[in-house]
Amino acid sequence: MRKLDVKHTAYHVLVAVYFLWVIVIGILVAMAMYNYINTLDAGLNQVFFKWIIYNFLTGTMLFVVIRMFKQNKKLNRVVLYSYTFMLGVSVTTLLMIRG
């Protein structure tokens, strides 16, 4: 039985947490857009604004740590593209909610 590579295991755990983050921020953005479009509660938009910012800061930290590993070029490319997409969606949502 071979020894576990701790660095490799930590990398894959971080990537798994990152993809959970993508799901969470996607749902959060969808809820914010649904509230904005249907004008359900204007006060809730402020809460969504803060949640999206805090959640995006968490995702940015995950993204930076994953990029520091410099492993698995295909997986890094998927992480980069998904992060860029979520950045665009989040900024667009924040501009719509705030504006």
Side-chain angles (χ1 to χ4, degrees), residues 7 11 64-73 76:
K7 183 178 177 183
Y11 173 77
V64 168
V65 171
I66 288 170
R67 298 293 285 186
M68 288 170 63
F69 276 93
K70 297 180 182 173
Q71 289 186 2
N72 201 349
K73 298 207 184 289
N76 270 348

Side-chain angles (χ1 to χ4, degrees), residues 62-94:
L62 276 170
F63 175 74
V64 168
V65 171
I66 288 170
R67 298 293 285 186
M68 288 170 63
F69 276 93
K70 297 180 182 173
Q71 289 186 2
N72 201 349
K73 298 207 184 289
K74 287 182 184 178
L75 194 53
N76 270 348
R77 187 168 291 139
V78 169
V79 167
L80 174 66
Y81 292 156
S82 64
Y83 179 80
T84 305
F85 176 75
M86 292 312 291
L87 173 67
V89 169
S90 297
V91 168
T92 302
T93 302
L94 291 175

Side-chain angles (χ1 to χ4, degrees), residues 21-22 27-28 30 32 56 63 82 95:
W21 169 80
V22 168
I27 292 171
L28 188 60
F56 201 78
F63 175 74
S82 64
L95 289 175

